[in-house]
Amino acid sequence: MLKPILSLLLSLMLFVPGFSNNPSQYICPPCGAACDSLVYEEPGICPHCHMPLIRKEEVKTIAFYLQDGVEVLDFAGPLEVFSYAGYRVFTVSKSKNPIKSQGVLKVTPDYSIEDAPKADVLAFFGGNAASAYKDPAVIDWIKKQVDTDYYFSVCTGAFLLAESGILDGQTATTFHDALDNLEENYPTIDVRKDVRFVDNGKVVTTAGISAGIDGALHLVAKFQGLTKAKRTAFYMEYDNWVPGDGLILTEEDPYEFLHTDFGLSDYTGVFEYKEGATLEFVLVDHSPDLHAIIKGVKFPLFFESENIFSDVDGDLVYFERDSVGKVRGYRIQKEGVLFKKIKE
């Protein structure tokens, strides 16, 4: 039993800054400011926009196809997720003419299907989706995106993937009122009616509206690991996300160790904190993480490897044990001040 756990810990250490043999460059999530062009050699916080830095190689380019009448939360929820995760999102429509989301929110697309650049991920959304999936020019454009790495849909956006043949022989889901329609009109698709999202590996479809947030967090977990997705959900104060609450039909499962017992009770208790204050580390139910309770507010602390955790900004927290193996305190910096444990 010990050997598999040690192997697991060693594999996890590869994702901890400072343990990798391959140095990375870091950038801030694209925010439209001058700091978008800056490159850093270490992880941390952007001193200009105050966003957590991400590895440059982790940046994905995601094209949001939006049709007139598109549902606001269908695309706005995933947009929030992907933006905070550090991906470059741009909008595409049939033309560059402004569209109205739900007849209220005016959106001017960045590109038309005539000049849209290549994207790593193509995303489609519900709300008047028939105007798009019944348009031969739009479907032809989708079919021509042969170098796309992943496809993502929310709600009836799945019909654009179905009509373009991307869901042929695949398992998928969609908005609850459209499930029968998808099943009846596209018989080669295995339509699932009781799932939040379906991941076929290259194609992720979600149920309606708010489920798009769950699917987007799942993609972040696939691309950058579960901890990054948890940080994003915490930043958004999206408390309804249940990691892994979907149908995963691929070996790319970021939740494999979600319920592993890492002996986290060793790290719980009341500890010293800055400026003479105290904090308490407590367990999080069904998760390999802790909560740090500071002045009544809970902040997640994510397990990285034995005695090492990371906080919501990606900074590392180092726990230290005494000669008999009991946790005696923690350091915010590896060689920094030791904040001692006060009581269990």
Side-chain angles (χ1 to χ4, degrees), residues 84 217 227-239 241 291-292 297-302 311-313:
Y84 184 75
L217 287 167
T227 294
K228 180 65 177 182
K230 287 180 178 179
R231 283 198 187 99
T232 303
F234 174 79
Y235 170 79
M236 295 173 60
E237 298 198 47
Y238 185 58
D239 299 328
W241 182 49
H291 270 151
V297 180
K298 289 183 178 179
F299 296 92
L301 201 63
F302 306 107
D311 64 16
V312 293
D313 294 325

Side-chain angles (χ1 to χ4, degrees), residues 30-31 33 37 42 56 78 97-98 135-136 139 154 168 180 197 209 219 236 247 258 283 286 314 341-342:
C31 58
S37 61
E42 299 288 342
K56 190 174 182 180
N97 296 329
D135 189 324
I139 298 304
V154 179
D168 287 352
D180 290 344
F197 68 82
I209 311 176
L219 276 179
M236 295 173 60
L247 179 60
L258 187 61
L283 295 174
H286 311 298
K341 189 172 189 176
I342 300 172

Side-chain angles (χ1 to χ4, degrees), residues 182-247:
L182 186 65
E183 188 172 52
E184 292 165 5
N185 287 284
Y186 303 94
T188 67
I189 301 174
D190 178 10
V191 178
R192 298 300 178 93
K193 302 181 179 183
D194 58 351
V195 295
R196 195 77 169 155
F197 68 82
V198 177
D199 181 357
N200 289 287
K202 186 174 180 176
V203 184
V204 175
T205 57
T206 81
I209 311 176
S210 66
I213 300 175
D214 300 60
L217 287 167
H218 172 67
L219 276 179
V220 173
K222 282 184 63 157
F223 297 156
Q224 294 175 273
L226 181 55
T227 294
K228 180 65 177 182
K230 287 180 178 179
R231 283 198 187 99
T232 303
F234 174 79
Y235 170 79
M236 295 173 60
E237 298 198 47
Y238 185 58
D239 299 328
N240 293 325
W241 182 49
V242 180
D245 185 20
L247 179 60

Side-chain angles (χ1 to χ4, degrees), residues 49-218:
C49 66
H50 306 294
M51 293 286 281
L53 301 177
I54 62 172
R55 289 185 176 88
K56 190 174 182 180
E57 65 267 23
E58 291 179 344
V59 176
K60 299 287 185 183
T61 303
I62 305 179
F64 276 32
Y65 183 88
L66 306 179
Q67 65 278 353
D68 192 56
V70 65
E71 176 81 25
V72 171
L73 190 55
D74 269 21
F75 75 89
L79 178 63
E80 180 75 25
V81 172
F82 294 142
S83 296
Y84 184 75
Y87 307 150
R88 301 184 186 278
V89 179
F90 61 84
T91 55
V92 185
S93 196
K94 186 175 180 180
S95 72
K96 292 182 181 178
N97 296 329
I99 63 171
K100 276 194 174 180
S101 176
Q102 292 180 266
V104 178
L105 177 66
K106 185 179 289 187
V107 180
T108 302
D110 296 315
Y111 300 97
S112 74
I113 57 176
E114 300 297 327
D115 63 0
K118 177 187 178 303
D120 299 312
V121 183
L122 282 183
F124 303 93
F125 309 93
N128 195 30
S131 67
Y133 73 78
K134 291 183 178 180
D135 189 324
V138 174
I139 298 304
D140 184 58
W141 173 74
I142 297 172
K143 289 180 177 180
K144 289 180 178 178
Q145 308 307 302
V146 293
D147 294 329
T148 302
D149 295 329
Y150 295 92
Y151 297 92
F152 175 68
S153 72
V154 179
C155 197
T156 52
F159 284 78
L160 282 88
L161 298 180
E163 189 65 28
S164 59
I166 292 168
L167 289 180
D168 287 352
Q170 301 281 342
T171 303
T173 193
T174 187
F175 183 54
H176 59 82
D177 276 352
L179 288 163
D180 290 344
N181 188 357
L182 186 65
E183 188 172 52
E184 292 165 5
N185 287 284
Y186 303 94
T188 67
I189 301 174
D190 178 10
V191 178
R192 298 300 178 93
K193 302 181 179 183
D194 58 351
V195 295
R196 195 77 169 155
F197 68 82
V198 177
D199 181 357
N200 289 287
K202 186 174 180 176
V203 184
V204 175
T205 57
T206 81
I209 311 176
S210 66
I213 300 175
D214 300 60
L217 287 167
H218 172 67

